[in-house]
Each structure stands twice: as structure tokens, then as C-alpha cells.
Amino acid sequence: DTNMTEWGGEHIEMSLRTWRCGGYIEVVPCSRMGHVFRARNPYVVHIENVLINTKRAALVWLDEHLEEYYRAVPRARLIDAGDVSERLRLKESLNCKSIDW
């Protein structure tokens, strides 16, 4: 989603898109993956932007489960996440399955 800004939410959007739209995640038993956390972030994380990003993902991918997102993140209900119509068209063009598939 090119309208997501800064950091946060993109991993959720990619996971849901992969799950619903025919992608796959390979399990490679002999592989290793890690994440190195820094003592402090070299950049500022604006929580408002993270909420916008996660709400954008929720509006596009959660369908009938959107209220569960709002119960978990009530503040997001009041946030303007912008126009997601482009992402909804993408979901339709990819013939994505229901989240419950």
C-alpha cells in the first residue's frame, strides 16, 4: 500500500494479502532468520501513522471482521485512514478469497 507512511502495518497488510490472494509462505527447515533490535530507534515512530496504516489494512482485508479490529483498537474508529478504493480494486482484481476460507 503506497499510501502507508513511515513504519508499522505493512507486515499485516502483506500477510493478509498473501493469505487471501493465493500467495504462499515456504517453510524451509534448514534455514535461519533473525531480527536484530537496536538499543534505540534511529528514527521517530509516530503512533498516529501506525494507527492509520493498520486501519488501512483492516479496512481492505478484514471484511466482516472489521469490528474485531475496532474492539481491539477503539481509537482507530476516529482516525481518517484516507481513500482505500485502490486497494479494494486490487483485492477484487486478484480474486482474493474470504478471510475465513
Side-chain angles (χ1 to χ4, degrees):
D1 184 343
T2 58
N3 289 311
M4 286 188 175
T5 60
E6 294 185 19
W7 176 93
E10 69 284 346
H11 60 296
I12 296 168
E13 198 276 341
M14 287 188 293
S15 297
L16 289 169
R17 185 167 21 104
T18 300
W19 168 254
R20 296 190 54 187
C21 304
Y24 59 92
I25 297 171
E26 291 188 24
V27 176
V28 182
C30 60
S31 67
R32 300 289 182 264
M33 187 182 106
H35 186 90
V36 178
F37 288 94
R38 300 174 180 155
R40 64 180 189 85
N41 281 340
Y43 49 85
V44 175
V45 175
H46 297 97
I47 299 303
E48 190 78 8
N49 290 46
V50 174
L51 288 173
I52 290 169
N53 291 348
T54 59
K55 182 173 180 175
R56 288 183 66 80
L59 289 170
V60 174
W61 299 106
L62 293 186
D63 300 335
E64 64 275 5
H65 298 280
L66 183 60
E67 282 303 316
E68 293 172 43
Y69 168 76
Y70 286 136
R71 276 195 297 279
V73 189
R75 182 174 160 202
R77 198 180 289 274
L78 306 173
I79 291 172
D80 178 10
D83 183 11
V84 296
S85 59
E86 178 185 327
R87 302 306 290 174
L88 292 169
R89 283 192 300 276
L90 172 68
K91 182 171 79 169
E92 185 176 333
S93 73
L94 292 173
N95 296 314
C96 299
K97 298 177 183 177
S98 159
I99 197 167
D100 296 321
W101 76 273

